[in-house]
Amino acid sequence: MSNDQLPEIKLDTDNLYREEMFTDHKVGTLRRMTPVTTEGEPDSSREVLYVGQAQMMTPAGALPLNFEIEATSLTDALDKFGTEAQACLERTLEELREMQRQQASSIVVPGQGGGVGGGMGSGGIQIP
């Protein structure tokens, strides 16, 4: 791909936010996203957003959780953090269970490859 075919990389100046992070260094992080103008002044025509981040330790390692919190203030977002993190964890675990069910029920046809991540390369072992 030549340089003249590369996409233009540009920030959306109509959708700028100032990000503030709050953490207890134990459970997670809460990000407050305050809309701003191109001059960095608060943009009162758009709502402040709150985003929670946490992680759950699993036998396979840390499972990241990212979730939006509908809140009207930092206090409101902090109060809702645990409930929203739990809901995000439940959704994530259900998605993982569904992926496991789909993988377990997939039929492997010789010569067709398959499964998550693509098929077998040439010279791979094929089970009849």
Side-chain angles (χ1 to χ4, degrees):
M1 182 178 277
S2 67
N3 286 343
D4 59 333
Q5 294 175 332
L6 293 175
E8 180 182 4
I9 299 173
K10 182 179 178 184
L11 287 175
D12 180 357
T13 58
D14 293 329
N15 198 30
L16 296 176
Y17 289 85
R18 179 180 63 237
E19 181 177 347
E20 297 172 271
M21 295 182 75
F22 305 89
T23 183
D24 65 353
H25 287 289
K26 295 177 188 173
V27 175
T29 302
L30 180 64
R31 294 171 35 213
R32 177 171 52 193
M33 310 290 288
T34 304
V36 296
T37 66
T38 54
E39 290 78 34
E41 298 299 320
D43 181 354
S44 59
S45 68
R46 297 182 289 142
E47 292 186 23
V48 173
L49 305 176
Y50 295 92
V51 179
Q53 297 176 313
Q55 59 183 351
M56 178 71 176
M57 292 307 294
T58 71
L63 177 64
L65 302 172
N66 295 292
F67 47 95
E68 290 186 27
I69 302 173
E70 288 189 32
T72 56
S73 68
L74 179 59
T75 301
D76 189 23
L78 290 167
D79 288 344
K80 294 178 178 179
F81 185 94
T83 302
E84 294 299 325
Q86 184 68 33
C88 179
L89 176 60
E90 290 170 6
R91 285 189 306 271
T92 302
L93 292 175
E94 184 55 39
E95 289 172 13
L96 289 172
R97 285 187 206 105
E98 180 59 28
M99 287 176 12
Q100 287 175 332
R101 279 192 290 271
Q102 290 176 3
Q103 185 65 26
S105 67
S106 65
I107 298 173
V108 177
V109 178
Q112 297 260 325
V116 176
M120 293 180 192
S122 61
I125 299 172
Q126 296 182 0
I127 300 173

